[in-house]
Amino acid sequence: MAEGVVLWDFDGTLAFRDGMWRGCLVDALTEIVPGHTVTAADLAPGLRDGFPWHSPETGHPGLSAPDEWWGALLPLFVGAYVRAGVDEDMATRSAQLVRVHYTDPGYWTVFPDSAAVLGELAEVGWCHIIVSNHVPELGALLRDLGLDEHFTAVVNSSLVGWEKPHRRIFEVALEQAGHPEHVWMVGDNPVADIGGAQAVGIPGILVNPGQDGLRMAARRILSGPPALGC
Ligand SMILES: [Mg+2]
């Protein structure tokens, strides 16, 4: 298939959700308990562990159905609310709204350089594939944000059953890419993105998209061997 492929992290690299998970739980709670005083900081302790990407050494192929994936996270959300002082009944009702809030594209922002950088690299023959630790609805989110047209494949941990930095998700990405001659991984997480990629022989580029990071990544890719088509 492709001779040159760039693997891209999504969250924090190409786009971000305002307030991240903590902000999402605050928004869901507001819908159930208007006027509450719970803050994102109050919810942080209960969200520090328990997401699939917090235990990447363990695969979760049995959770690849979206309803099951979200259902497995409900106790985590309820626990975070209760730990922040929310009544258990209100916590349970709010937790059931987290999915809708998290996947609402209105809360997501694409970094200013994302589309331009993806387009410029594609013009000179690079293919793009997403490799993300994310929720099952990532594909729909990419469509809603107008980014899907840039990618030949989306390798989503929640559907693959393995989280970065586990080598299996990168191996799936390489398979989907057709084992290209030239490949890069671009991401904002030194462990999940860069360490994971390097462990399977993929050179990584750590980026800070808010500080011209995507432009710098593109320059580095373009300074190396050329892609030979997509
Ligand atoms: Mg990221």
Side-chain angles (χ1 to χ4, degrees), residues 146-160:
L147 288 175
D148 62 317
E149 64 186 18
H150 295 285
F151 298 97
T152 55
V154 177
V155 179
N156 181 353
S157 66
S158 58
L159 305 180
V160 169

Side-chain angles (χ1 to χ4, degrees), residues 9 11-13 188 193:
D9 172 51
D11 193 349
T13 296
D188 71 314
D193 298 324

Side-chain angles (χ1 to χ4, degrees), residues 5-162:
V5 173
V6 185
L7 309 178
W8 294 88
D9 172 51
F10 173 69
D11 193 349
T13 296
L14 295 171
F16 65 96
R17 190 199 183 281
D18 196 23
M20 301 186 285
W21 282 98
R22 286 166 279 173
C24 175
L25 264 72
V26 171
D27 296 337
L29 179 62
T30 301
E31 197 170 327
I32 300 297
V33 190
H36 70 81
T37 58
V38 175
T39 66
D42 296 331
L43 290 159
L47 296 173
R48 287 208 180 104
D49 194 20
F51 285 96
W53 39 86
H54 289 145
S55 51
E57 66 284 358
T58 307
H60 50 86
L63 293 181
S64 58
D67 287 349
E68 292 172 14
W69 191 91
W70 283 101
L73 282 180
L74 277 178
L76 173 70
F77 300 149
V78 173
Y81 282 128
V82 170
R83 192 165 168 179
V86 178
D87 161 83
E88 184 144 3
D89 179 52
M90 297 295 118
T92 301
R93 291 171 59 192
S94 302
Q96 287 164 346
L97 295 178
V98 169
R99 180 180 184 174
V100 173
H101 278 271
Y102 195 78
T103 56
D104 182 342
Y107 288 101
W108 287 84
T109 303
V110 177
F111 285 112
D113 292 333
S114 298
V117 163
L118 291 166
E120 287 164 20
L121 289 169
E123 273 181 24
V124 293
W126 289 92
C127 291
H128 301 303
I129 290 179
I130 291 274
V131 185
S132 174
N133 292 347
H134 217 268
V135 306
E137 292 84 353
L138 176 58
L141 192 54
L142 287 166
R143 278 196 300 278
D144 290 338
L145 295 175
L147 288 175
D148 62 317
E149 64 186 18
H150 295 285
F151 298 97
T152 55
V154 177
V155 179
N156 181 353
S157 66
S158 58
L159 305 180
V160 169
W162 294 96

